[in-house]
Amino acid sequence: MTAPYTLASREDHPANTIVHASGAAIGGPEPVLIAGPCSVEDREQMLTTARAVRASGGAILRGGAFKPRTSPYGFQGLGEAGLELLAEAGAAVGLPVVTEVMEPAQVEIVSAYADILQVGSRNMANTALLKAVGRADRPVMLKRGMAATIEEWLLAAEYVLAEGNPRVILCERGVRGFEPRLRNLLDPAVVPLLRTLTHLPVIVDPSHAVGRRDLVAPAACAAIAVGADGVMIEVHPNPAVALTDAAQAVPCAELPALAARLRAVARAIRGEEAEALAS
Ligand code: PEP
Ligand code: MN
C-alpha cells in the first residue's frame, strides 16, 4: 500500500534520516537533549539556563520568543528582543537554538536568529505556515497537533517536505485526553509506530505532555526507552517565578542528574554500541 505522505514515508526511504542543525545531529545513534525555558524572559535567565543545558550535555537550547498563549491576556513573549537573547545565550555556550514561529510573516526574522524553526501544536495544520517553513533554509521541528492523528501529522510534515525542505523533525507532545490530572496524554508507543511509517527523526516533549515537573523525568525516560531520538524539556533557573508553564518547569539545578538518567536509559536500550559511542 502506498502511503499518502510519499516523501515522509519509509516506503521509498528505508534509511533513517539524520537532521543536521548547526553542529547537532538529530536521528543519529545518540539521542539528543533539547532544553530551555518555555519563554525567553531576560538575559540572566537565558545565560544561566544555557550554561546548565551545556553542562548537562544538552545538544540544543530552546526558548519561546513568540508564544501561542491560550489567553490573550497571558504573556505573549518578548518577540524579536527574545530572539536576540536566545541567540546570544546559545552563542555564549556554543549551542544551536530552537524557537517557535507562529506565522508565515515571522519566518524570515525567526530564521535570522534560530538554527531550528519550531511549529507548535496549535499550528500543525496551518498549511500556509507549513509551506512557508518548507521554503526556509532551516530544519523544522513539527509538533503534533493536540488532536491530530498520526496520518494528519505525517501529512503536515509532507507539506514541509513537498516545498523542498528535507530537514523535518517530528515532536510528540501528547494529545488531549480525558484525564484532568495530566495536561495531555502521552502514548510512548507512538515512537516505535512512527519508526514503521517514516524515516524522519522523532523526539518527545515530556514537559507539555505531563504538565507537572515531578513527572517530566519519568516520562522522558520512557521516551528514551522506546527509542526516541531525543527529548525536549522545559527548564528554568527559578520555576517559582517563570512567566509561562511554571508548573512543569524543571529547575536548572536538577538538569544534570536528569540528563545522566536519560543517558543510562539510552545505554541500557541501545546496548554496547551506544556505550562505545558515548565513551
Ligand atoms: C512550546 O513548546 O513552547 C509549546 C507551546 O508547545 P506546544 O506547541 O506543544 O503546546
Ligand atoms: Mn511551554
Side-chain angles (χ1 to χ4, degrees):
M1 201 191 83
T2 304
Y5 38 85
T6 46
L7 299 172
S9 171
R10 205 181 261 289
E11 285 172 10
D12 292 330
H13 311 80
N16 288 337
T17 287
I18 301 178
V19 171
H20 295 276
S22 312
I26 304 108
E30 285 296 309
V32 296
L33 171 64
I34 305 171
C38 181
S39 296
V40 176
E41 298 170 4
D42 58 61
R43 175 171 283 119
E44 193 53 41
Q45 172 230 21
M46 284 314 302
L47 288 173
T48 306
T49 304
R51 286 186 206 110
V53 175
R54 176 88 219 187
S56 305
I60 299 166
L61 178 67
R62 70 151 278 152
F66 293 104
K67 295 301 300 177
R69 303 305 307 288
T70 302
S71 166
Y73 306 119
F75 177 59
Q76 303 286 310
L78 295 179
E80 187 172 359
L83 295 176
E84 273 173 31
L85 293 174
L86 174 67
E88 179 191 326
V93 299
L95 290 179
V97 300
V98 58
T99 194
E100 179 159 353
V101 54
M102 294 203 300
E103 42 187 277
Q106 291 170 351
V107 172
E108 194 177 331
I109 182 80
V110 175
S111 298
Y113 293 97
D115 299 280
I116 302 175
L117 307 178
Q118 174 174 329
V119 173
S121 189
R122 289 158 191 77
N123 271 315
M124 186 211 81
N126 179 342
T127 55
L129 181 61
L130 296 171
K131 288 179 184 174
V133 298
R135 292 189 291 268
D137 183 27
R138 288 285 180 278
V140 173
M141 189 177 81
L142 178 61
K143 297 190 104 180
R144 182 180 184 179
M146 59 184 76
T149 65
I150 301 285
E151 181 147 324
E152 289 163 344
W153 187 16
L154 289 173
L155 282 167
E158 190 79 7
Y159 264 92
V160 182
L161 299 167
E163 288 295 323
N165 188 343
R167 293 191 287 172
V168 178
I169 304 150
L170 299 168
C171 179
E172 169 64 90
R173 43 79 80 206
V175 292
R176 273 283 160 86
F178 55 79
E179 174 51 64
R181 287 175 189 269
L182 291 163
R183 186 169 179 179
N184 286 294
L185 182 62
L186 177 66
D187 178 0
V190 163
V191 176
L193 172 60
L194 283 167
R195 291 280 180 239
T196 70
L197 301 173
T198 181
H199 56 91
L200 297 172
V202 181
I203 68 161
V204 171
D205 168 353
S207 301
H208 292 89
V210 299
R212 39 185 277 189
R213 75 177 57 83
D214 59 331
L215 302 183
V216 169
C221 286
I224 297 300
V226 292
D229 294 303
V231 289
M232 180 163 80
I233 295 176
E234 285 188 349
V235 297
H236 194 284
N238 182 3
V241 301
L243 293 180
T244 58
D245 283 351
Q248 69 197 32
V250 170
C252 287
E254 292 177 17
L255 191 58
L258 170 49
R261 249 175 103 179
L262 297 176
R263 281 193 293 271
V265 175
R267 273 199 300 275
I269 63 137
R270 298 201 178 194
E272 291 183 359
E273 191 188 359
E275 185 104 55
L277 280 165
S279 61

